Amino acid sequence: MFFPMNSLSPWLVGVGLNSILLLLAWIVPKKLLTPAGLFHAVVLGVLIWGTLGWQGYVVVMFYFLVGSLITRVGMAQKEAQGIAEKRSGARGPENVWGSALTAALCALGVWVISSGILPMSQNQYSTFVTLLLLGYVASFSTKLSDTCASEIGKAYGKSTFLITTLQPVPRGTEGAVSLEGTLAGAIASLAQALLGWGVGLIDLFGVLWCVVAAFIATNLESVIGATLQSRYTWLTNEVVNIFNTLIGASTAILFAWIWANII
């Protein structure tokens, strides 16, 4: 079960732990983050540990490590085709917050409610915290699903189709989907959601809502990529990622709220 922490100690632990990880990441030859990305990742890490403790931290670290590894699958082939992530997959600040802004807002919401700043009944407190924790896990389930679907599809997709027309298109085309990528995304979202359940942030129904929401949000992200992204310069991959995770978190919360009111 998740227990919110209101003292200063979690924040101090978060600073200490992330400082150690920063030093280790700095000396590792194979960089998963750019120097600026490392700094922003530390800020995110302290924020998550301070608000959600080790449970929330495990969830974000799982996303980061698995997502980084998946991005490097078939990297040589993807670079040769010009469809690889920039900087050989090393994450910068824009990647950190594009992937985690929605989750960070959910975590801050839990912390604000748990601190007692907002007057509410015990029942309201329990409802809001439960839904925000679900949104937190769902956002990372969605993002990991999107990452795995995209990277596995680019590396191993035998047939890729534009999601809006189902016409065959080359791998790496914005809005393209493949069977291999879709399956990888579904498995990834399930793994991320099960981890959230395993550390006590969500229940088993929450796992279901995360997986369904991730599937919906990942496909909507493909629709955005196929229809809008090329029209607007401000609609970068990182901005689309924010919309993607926001849709995933909101959809999971909506499903959970509807289900709770039905029963």
Side-chain angles (χ1 to χ4, degrees):
M1 182 177 180
F2 172 74
F3 296 97
M5 296 175 288
N6 298 316
S7 66
L8 284 176
S9 58
W11 296 93
L12 295 177
V13 171
V15 170
L17 173 64
N18 284 278
S19 296
I20 294 172
L21 292 178
L22 172 63
L23 292 175
L24 292 175
W26 194 267
I27 62 177
V28 169
K30 198 71 171 180
K31 304 297 184 185
L32 298 179
L33 291 154
T34 66
L38 277 172
F39 172 77
H40 284 262
V42 167
V43 173
L44 174 65
V46 172
L47 171 64
I48 297 303
W49 191 284
T51 54
L52 299 184
W54 67 267
Q55 298 100 318
Y57 197 80
V58 166
V59 169
V60 67
M61 285 298 291
F62 181 83
Y63 159 72
F64 170 69
L65 292 175
V66 174
S68 296
L69 291 174
I70 290 295
T71 299
R72 294 174 183 274
V73 170
M75 180 59 72
Q77 173 188 329
K78 288 183 286 189
E79 286 181 335
Q81 295 175 341
I83 58 175
E85 291 292 320
K86 58 185 178 181
R87 301 185 296 254
S88 296
R91 263 64 169 175
E94 72 281 8
N95 303 114
V96 172
W97 296 112
S99 300
L101 179 60
T102 298
L105 292 175
C106 289
L108 281 172
V110 172
W111 179 75
V112 169
I113 293 172
S114 300
S115 67
I117 296 175
L118 302 176
M120 60 179 60
S121 67
Q122 183 61 36
N123 185 56
Q124 289 175 319
Y125 165 84
S126 178
T127 298
F128 279 112
V129 167
T130 298
L131 291 177
L132 285 171
L133 289 174
L134 174 61
Y136 176 81
V137 178
S139 70
F140 282 123
S141 289
T142 298
K143 189 65 196 76
L144 189 60
S145 173
D146 173 55
T147 298
C148 290
S150 175
E151 297 301 329
I152 296 301
K154 287 190 289 188
Y156 299 114
K158 295 180 180 178
S159 300
T160 52
F161 305 90
L162 196 64
I163 192 169
T164 52
T165 64
L166 297 183
Q167 295 298 311
V169 291
R171 294 179 185 177
T173 301
E174 291 293 348
V177 295
S178 67
L179 176 61
E180 295 82 2
T182 300
L183 288 176
I187 293 170
S189 65
L190 177 60
Q192 183 79 68
L194 284 173
L195 178 62
W197 168 73
V199 299
L201 294 184
I202 60 175
D203 59 19
L204 281 175
F205 271 114
V207 174
L208 174 62
W209 307 142
C210 284
V211 173
V212 174
F215 180 80
I216 293 172
T218 298
N219 282 284
L220 284 178
E221 191 264 357
S222 295
V223 172
I224 293 173
T227 59
L228 299 175
Q229 195 165 359
S230 62
R231 299 182 186 180
Y232 303 100
T233 55
W234 60 268
L235 202 57
T236 63
N237 286 335
E238 291 71 38
V239 173
V240 172
N241 285 338
I242 294 175
F243 285 131
N244 181 35
T245 55
L246 184 60
I247 292 169
S250 301
T251 302
I253 289 173
L254 179 62
F255 284 158
W257 183 83
I258 292 173
W259 179 258
N261 283 275
I262 287 176
I263 63 172

